[in-house]
Amino acid sequence: MPRLVLVPTPIGNLEDITLRSLRYLKEADLLFAEDTRVTHKLLKHFEISKKVLPFHAHNEHRFLEKSIDIIEQQECTVLVSDAGTPGISDPGFLLVRACVERGIEVECLPGPTAFVPALVSSGFPCDKFIFEGFLPHKKGRQTRLKILAQEARTMVLYESPHRLIKTLEQMLDFFEPERQVVVARELTKHFETYHRGNVQEQLAYFKANPPKGEIVLLIKGLDD
Ligand code: SAM
């Protein structure tokens, strides 16, 4: 019976790969990877030699039928992204949906993803939260922020360093300046930091200290 296994990979610290993930990477018939060069580096580090085919975000639609045909000819195909869990702000969803529709077994191993450690360490309620992924870059961005300003649950967003200041500035159009925010940077890496403060304070800080590295932005929900 063919099956697809989604294997999470480290988001910075290579020690974060699980034993089961390593076993699947070793035992799979073939790997689909978001970027084969990135995956080859990871495999080399763990001394795994495996056939890797590209599965790019920009060709996920086009590549779908072909990928399903390939998966159906194997016992176990693994999908990995460059970092973290495939399908979480990374390619994967369309392939999983297509496999489910075709009756192909799908399994996602537990493992690294950026938003869970960021949420749990934020100090904001994590019993209920919403994951927004990346905000739209242009159209719909303001509307999304306007809706989020009324959200009572903790909000988790992915953000790029060169857009963080713009986002904090735009937040001031809809959020009260005292709304608490955490900027979680470079998780699991050497320069991991959690910067805590309200929107206004964060804006002042990051204008003076331009943000670098990978960022998860956490926004406390609207108080009752
Ligand atoms: N699939 C990944 C996951 O499971 O988290 C997310 C991939 S998405 C293309 C990349 C974004 O995730 C980054 O721009 C950043 O917002 C967040 N991210 C990934 N690694 C991170 C890290 N080490 N520290 C902080 N944020 C990270």
Side-chain angles (χ1 to χ4, degrees):
M1 280 286 282
R3 64 195 178 117
L4 172 70
V5 182
L6 288 84
V7 172
T9 54
I11 57 166
N13 188 327
L14 290 175
E15 290 179 7
D16 289 336
I17 197 145
T18 71
L19 296 174
R20 198 145 77 100
S21 294
L22 285 175
R23 182 164 64 77
Y24 272 86
L25 292 177
K26 279 181 198 143
E27 292 179 0
D29 297 306
L30 77 87
L31 260 58
F32 278 132
E34 182 184 8
D35 183 331
T36 55
R37 284 163 307 176
V38 173
T39 300
H40 275 302
K41 257 194 211 163
L42 181 80
L43 294 178
K44 192 171 173 215
H45 178 85
F46 291 107
E47 297 177 351
I48 297 171
S49 146
K50 188 65 57 183
K51 184 171 176 194
V52 185
L53 297 180
F55 189 77
H56 296 297
H58 63 264
N59 71 10
E60 191 172 1
H61 269 106
R62 190 166 59 80
F63 199 51
L64 213 54
E65 277 306 306
K66 205 172 143 198
S67 311
I68 294 286
D69 290 344
I70 296 172
I71 290 170
E72 281 182 326
Q73 288 158 26
Q74 323 293 323
E75 258 185 51
C76 179
T77 305
V78 158
L79 173 66
V80 290
S81 61
D82 289 354
T85 301
I88 301 297
S89 298
D90 265 342
F93 159 64
L94 294 175
L95 186 62
V96 169
R97 185 175 66 181
C99 285
V100 170
E101 284 169 0
R102 290 271 195 109
I104 297 171
E105 195 189 316
V106 177
E107 183 182 10
C108 176
L109 302 190
T113 188
F115 78 89
V116 174
L119 169 67
V120 175
S121 304
S122 69
F124 298 156
C126 54
D127 55 340
K128 293 190 180 73
F129 64 92
I130 61 159
F131 176 67
E132 275 288 306
F134 291 101
L135 286 173
H137 290 178
K138 291 192 180 106
K139 202 167 166 275
R141 191 176 166 89
Q142 303 271 9
T143 315
R144 205 61 225 140
L145 283 171
K146 192 174 176 184
I147 292 168
L148 290 179
Q150 300 308 313
E151 174 59 58
R153 293 166 292 183
T154 301
M155 290 151 264
V156 187
L157 288 84
Y158 283 168
E159 192 51 277
S160 75
H162 62 272
R163 247 183 242 106
L164 177 69
I165 288 173
K166 181 179 165 194
T167 299
L168 292 168
E169 279 171 347
Q170 289 181 328
M171 278 179 71
L172 285 175
D173 293 341
F174 307 108
F175 290 74
E176 57 290 12
E178 299 77 27
R179 184 72 74 95
Q180 290 298 311
V181 167
V182 172
V183 176
R185 282 184 52 248
E186 295 288 86
L187 299 176
T188 79
K189 302 184 200 175
H190 185 66
F191 291 108
E192 171 172 311
T193 51
Y194 286 90
H195 195 260
R196 302 167 202 274
N198 67 35
V199 186
Q200 216 157 32
E201 291 164 345
Q202 297 277 12
L203 193 53
Y205 177 83
F206 283 108
K207 274 188 171 169
N209 305 276
K212 284 188 196 140
E214 299 197 276
I215 291 171
V216 183
L217 180 65
L218 301 112
I219 308 170
K220 190 164 183 285
L222 185 65
D223 290 328
D224 293 335

